[in-house]
Amino acid sequence: MEMADTILVTGGAGYIGSHTVRMLAAQQRKIVVLDNLVYGHREAIVDDSVELVVGSIGDKQLLRELFARHSFSAVIHFAAFAYVGESVTDPLKYYRNNTAEPLALLEVMQEFACKSFVFSSTCATYGVPEQMPITESMRQAPINPYGRSKLMLEWILADCDHAWGLRSVCLRYFNASGCSSDGLIGEDHNPETHLIPRVLMALTGEAGPVEIFGTDYPTPDGTCIRDYIHVVDLADAHAKALDYLSTGGASQRVNLGTGVGVSVKEIIAAIEKVTGQTVPVVLGNRRAGDPAALVADPSLAHQILGWKADHCDITETVRSAWMWMSGSKHGRYSA
Ligand code: UFG
């Protein structure tokens, strides 16, 4: 039996998970990553001190072995599928993986009296917000199965708190972007559907022209507005959420964003500025399920966790993504 300060990180080989694991390891915290490597990358775990266990969060026998061996003080749960479009065509895949499988994890946590949980939630739980910026008390009415699969787990966590004292922090991410400051780890989805990497891939020649999904939105330039939050800032919020729970903090849910809205056209302009290249663009129709604007009010995260985004300049965030994508330092895992 080890000291009771080890943290279990599910999905720690994924994009946001791996940046968080790296930050926690740098803070000398002991980490065990559980990842099935379906979308995660073994190479994204760069610290020798981190143990990677390849397996499923739904495998109770494996979970019991891990909990018996490590006596985890907290769990950070990233493992999930996150393709909104796929969630519409294959909802059961999302409800199984994002909502049902974590039940096994929670059951084993209850068995072992592990009562601290940090959860990767999403701004997609709000659906089409009534007002901007979005505060945590606004109505959650997701418009796709992905958002619903995450919202249901938020509800389950609240019920577990009521029933057996599970304290959780639900972190509702806005649009994650960028890479680690040294370019050693970064975003590597396959397939890649997210705007910033997709635009950069049009420049590296890995993909054709970028289609702008809709130019007739009720926004200043007609394209969708999002809040692009740097992945290193997201990682920092997880470290702060752990500290909050370890000092006895009650269950909370907070938005993680910059509070700054950036349109699709502004992202493309920032990428052209950073790379000095012209992005090949096709003007397309709206993508189903895209709200016109999603911008966080991040003040509650500051109040409760002492967190705020440090990287609010979209040019710098795009530069960070380009450093990774262009492979000028280390390149992507699959490149
Ligand atoms: N977009 C394009 N062309 C593209 C890709 C995206 O115009 O090729 C536009 C989208 O329409 C959207 C914006 O760029 O307006 C950002 O799109 P992303 O696909 O990068 O991200 P989303 O805003 O769709 O992110 C959503 C939720 C997140 C969730 C994520 C899951 O807002 O909470 O999907 O991957 F986590």
Side-chain angles (χ1 to χ4, degrees):
M1 180 79 70
E2 294 176 14
M3 295 292 291
D5 62 352
T6 307
I7 295 149
L8 176 65
V9 181
T10 74
Y15 174 40
I16 305 167
S18 60
H19 286 79
T20 302
V21 165
R22 201 171 171 208
M23 183 175 285
L24 296 176
Q27 295 170 351
Q28 314 302 323
R29 305 197 210 214
K30 226 173 155 306
I31 308 294
V32 175
V33 167
L34 175 61
D35 197 302
N36 62 10
L37 298 182
V38 169
Y39 289 118
H41 303 271
R42 193 179 285 275
E43 308 91 305
I45 307 288
V46 290
D47 294 276
D48 292 338
S49 66
V50 176
E51 179 184 343
L52 170 63
V53 177
V54 179
S56 161
I57 55 160
D59 182 344
K60 272 182 126 171
Q61 196 186 329
L62 173 63
L63 288 167
R64 286 194 179 110
E65 278 168 28
L66 290 176
F67 274 79
R69 185 144 58 89
H70 292 284
S71 175
F72 297 115
S73 59
V75 173
I76 308 183
H77 175 54
F78 291 100
F81 294 148
Y83 290 108
V84 174
E86 184 186 55
S87 81
V88 176
T89 54
D90 195 355
L92 296 180
K93 179 174 174 180
Y94 280 71
Y95 291 127
R96 166 147 312 277
N97 190 68
N98 296 2
T99 315
E101 297 240 311
L103 297 181
L105 174 62
L106 291 169
E107 283 163 356
V108 174
M109 287 182 70
Q110 185 180 11
E111 277 173 35
F112 283 81
C114 177
K115 297 184 180 179
S116 296
F117 195 87
V118 179
F119 174 48
S120 295
S121 190
T122 167
C123 63
T125 59
Y126 292 109
V128 181
E130 300 145 322
Q131 259 173 272
M132 213 58 59
I134 301 171
T135 60
E136 291 79 357
S137 55
M138 273 161 60
R139 191 167 60 101
Q140 287 176 292
I143 56 172
N144 51 57
Y146 168 69
R148 283 190 276 274
S149 74
K150 290 279 186 173
L151 179 57
M152 278 190 254
L153 196 55
E154 285 200 11
W155 290 340
I156 290 166
L157 294 175
D159 290 340
C160 290
D161 187 353
H162 182 73
W164 51 276
L166 175 74
R167 289 175 305 116
S168 64
V169 178
C170 295
L171 300 173
R172 296 179 187 155
Y173 313 149
F174 283 64
N175 289 55
S177 44
C179 75
S180 63
S181 59
D182 59 3
L184 189 57
I185 59 174
E187 183 169 16
D188 194 348
H189 297 116
N190 187 16
E192 186 55 81
T193 60
H194 294 99
L195 179 66
I196 294 175
R198 180 62 190 76
V199 174
L200 295 175
M201 285 166 79
L203 294 180
T204 60
E206 290 163 86
V210 179
E211 183 174 348
I212 298 182
F213 296 143
T215 51
D216 60 348
Y217 282 99
T219 58
D221 67 15
T223 65
C224 282
I225 291 175
R226 294 290 180 271
D227 183 335
Y228 294 88
I229 173 81
H230 198 288
V231 69
V232 170
D233 284 329
L234 287 181
D236 179 41
H238 292 78
K240 291 191 158 77
L242 281 179
D243 291 341
Y244 169 81
L245 288 172
S246 72
T247 52
S251 291
Q252 274 295 349
R253 67 278 180 278
V254 297
N255 289 337
L256 297 181
T258 63
V260 178
V262 181
S263 74
V264 173
K265 282 189 176 167
E266 286 170 334
I267 289 288
I268 292 170
I271 287 174
E272 291 187 334
K273 184 172 155 194
V274 162
T275 63
Q277 299 183 48
T278 303
V279 174
V281 160
V282 175
L283 303 184
N285 295 324
R286 293 184 179 195
R287 184 173 67 177
D290 270 344
L294 291 171
V295 180
D297 177 340
S299 47
L300 190 66
H302 187 236
Q303 203 181 303
I304 287 174
L305 303 180
W307 174 91
K308 72 175 181 44
D310 277 337
H311 304 80
C312 296
D313 177 353
I314 195 63
T315 309
E316 289 314 308
T317 298
V318 161
R319 196 187 306 283
S320 161
W322 178 237
M323 170 171 71
W324 166 250
M325 187 62 81
S326 61
S328 57
K329 274 212 156 178
H330 300 276
R332 284 176 294 148
Y333 312 116
S334 50

